[in-house]
Amino acid sequence: MPQVIFKEQALDATIDAVIDAAMHELNHEHDHRPRDQSSDRYRRVRRQSQVIAEPLSAEDCCAQSMPDASPVKWHLAHTTWFFETFLLERFERGFCAFHPQFRVLFNSYYEGVGERFPRPQRGLLTRPSLDEVQAYRADVDQRMLRLIEAMGAAPSSEFLQLLELGLQHEQQHQELMLTDILHLLFVNPLKPAYQPLPDNLNGESGALPLAWHRFDAGVVEIGHAGDGFCFDNELPRHRQFVEAYSCASRLVSNGEYLAFVEAGGYRDVALWLSEGWDWRCREAIEHPLYWQSDGQGHWHEFSEYGLQRLDPQRAVLHLSYYEADAYARWAGARLPTEAEWEHAAPRVRGPAREFFGVAWQWTSSSYAPYPGFAAAPGAVGEYNGKFMVNQYVLRGSSMATPLNHARLSYRNFFPATARWQCAGVRLARSE
């Protein structure tokens, strides 16, 4: 069975690769990827979604564990819908929809496209079957590859931009598939594993001591630079003033967070934002989402390998913004702003920096438009801009993020109560 999620990557190599790519963009160098590689890239990205679904049964693929999650079958269909709706319908000669009702069933939130099936009820879509969705993917893939070939050596910039957006969109859904699968299996009383525990999984490797890296006050530039792909919410690149601050050298570990739990952090109202405290009490939350205690001081954590003994050295995951903020306050620190995070990431040196490939990191920055932001016209413009309210920005990438999907300027965002994503904590301090 393929090992497809949550791999513990060689952190230094991963971080260096992402930062090298970021500095490449900052230097305004160009992406010279030949256009004739579009077909191969399309095949690779689309195949990865299939690989993620391979360990699952048809029943697994149809279930929805909560309103914020979606069935794997829906993800497979929606990512296909994107290519059919925004590329084939626009560029294919003699276009004919695979199934006219799929336009409604698999539209996520695009008001400009038309009617949508309610998100909380996606698990009720027993029809079309998984086999029909796979036939839909195969049909659209065949037509897309023909279209790419028909475009020749000089496709239009509009086509290339939409194709890249579709591939990046599918990679986003690959991460969502993985986190949705984990939640689905967790709510099952059998606590089934998504994949077998590998023989070479490192356990209790020993977290390095946390160190602080200080940065002087000054004007910093953040946002995407260069010619490579970015989402519109990463633009425009602009200046921000930051006061002097320090950034932690690594993420908060399970062991450090366990100390917060055992010290009564979830019961100390002074540590929590008012809405966070109300949410914690209402939901009776006492620890991170996938943790379980036997009541005798022994803790376990549910992962893609099933229920495993909690490793105190690994980074703590699956925290809400409220939990991350409460822990930071308990630790005598705070969450970084996204400007601080983006400024610090390429400048913090040393082993196990964990800026990428482990956990998305909550920032204290509300998800809002950058100065001068403008959404694209039409339905594609609904991709990011209309969600810029009541959410917080997360930076970096997680162990579920496709490796070539991470970059320094990427702005992930979720509401403050979201816990099922691979979100952790990097501390900051004001100086």
Side-chain angles (χ1 to χ4, degrees), residues 101-334:
Q101 288 302 312
F102 284 10
R103 187 178 181 87
V104 174
L105 291 183
F106 303 122
N107 180 4
S108 54
Y109 52 73
Y110 295 91
E111 301 277 355
V113 174
E115 187 181 354
R116 299 162 318 286
F117 188 79
R119 178 177 180 174
Q121 300 176 26
R122 290 171 183 168
L124 302 179
L125 294 175
T126 58
R127 308 289 177 88
S129 68
L130 179 61
D131 286 344
E132 289 175 285
V133 167
Q134 295 289 25
Y136 178 39
R137 284 182 69 87
D139 177 83
V140 168
D141 284 349
Q142 185 180 53
R143 292 159 63 188
M144 279 295 303
L145 290 169
R146 282 202 304 262
L147 180 59
I148 292 170
E149 183 178 358
M151 286 287 175
S156 70
S157 60
E158 181 188 10
F159 176 80
L160 289 176
Q161 289 167 5
L162 286 172
L163 177 62
E164 185 61 32
L165 181 61
L167 295 173
Q168 297 281 338
H169 168 260
E170 181 131 0
Q171 288 185 306
Q172 286 183 315
H173 276 270
Q174 287 166 359
E175 180 160 1
L176 288 171
M177 287 169 67
L178 297 171
T179 52
D180 290 357
I181 289 166
L182 188 64
H183 190 268
L184 174 69
L185 298 180
F186 173 71
V187 300
N188 186 322
L190 299 177
K191 296 293 185 285
Y194 170 71
Q195 57 186 2
L197 185 70
D199 294 335
N200 61 350
L201 184 70
N202 296 324
E204 300 195 11
S205 55
L208 295 174
L210 188 146
W212 293 93
H213 296 259
R214 188 184 187 282
F215 298 95
D216 293 332
V219 175
V220 302
E221 288 191 352
I222 68 169
H224 189 265
D227 297 325
F229 175 85
C230 72
F231 291 111
D232 60 359
N233 65 356
E234 301 171 52
L235 295 171
R237 187 164 177 83
H238 62 286
R239 295 171 296 174
Q240 287 192 19
F241 179 81
V242 296
E243 297 288 354
Y245 71 99
S246 291
C247 180
S249 59
R250 59 164 174 81
L251 302 179
V252 172
S253 69
N254 280 329
E256 290 165 336
Y257 198 87
L258 179 59
F260 168 71
V261 174
E262 293 181 337
Y266 278 84
R267 298 179 180 274
D268 187 348
V269 65
L271 298 174
W272 293 76
L273 296 168
S274 177
E275 287 189 0
W277 180 254
D278 292 344
W279 166 80
R280 189 215 69 77
C281 294
R282 183 173 61 253
E283 302 296 329
I285 292 170
E286 301 286 349
H287 49 72
L289 176 60
Y290 294 130
W291 287 21
Q292 290 189 1
S293 171
D294 63 1
Q296 300 179 7
H298 303 120
W299 287 87
H300 290 77
E301 182 176 21
F302 185 77
S303 74
E304 71 276 22
Y305 310 119
L307 200 60
Q308 302 291 326
R309 184 165 58 93
L310 183 72
D311 184 345
Q313 311 299 341
R314 293 184 184 272
V316 63
L317 300 174
H318 305 292
L319 298 178
S320 68
Y321 175 85
Y322 292 136
E323 291 166 289
D325 178 79
Y327 174 86
R329 193 171 288 111
W330 177 79
R334 60 173 174 81

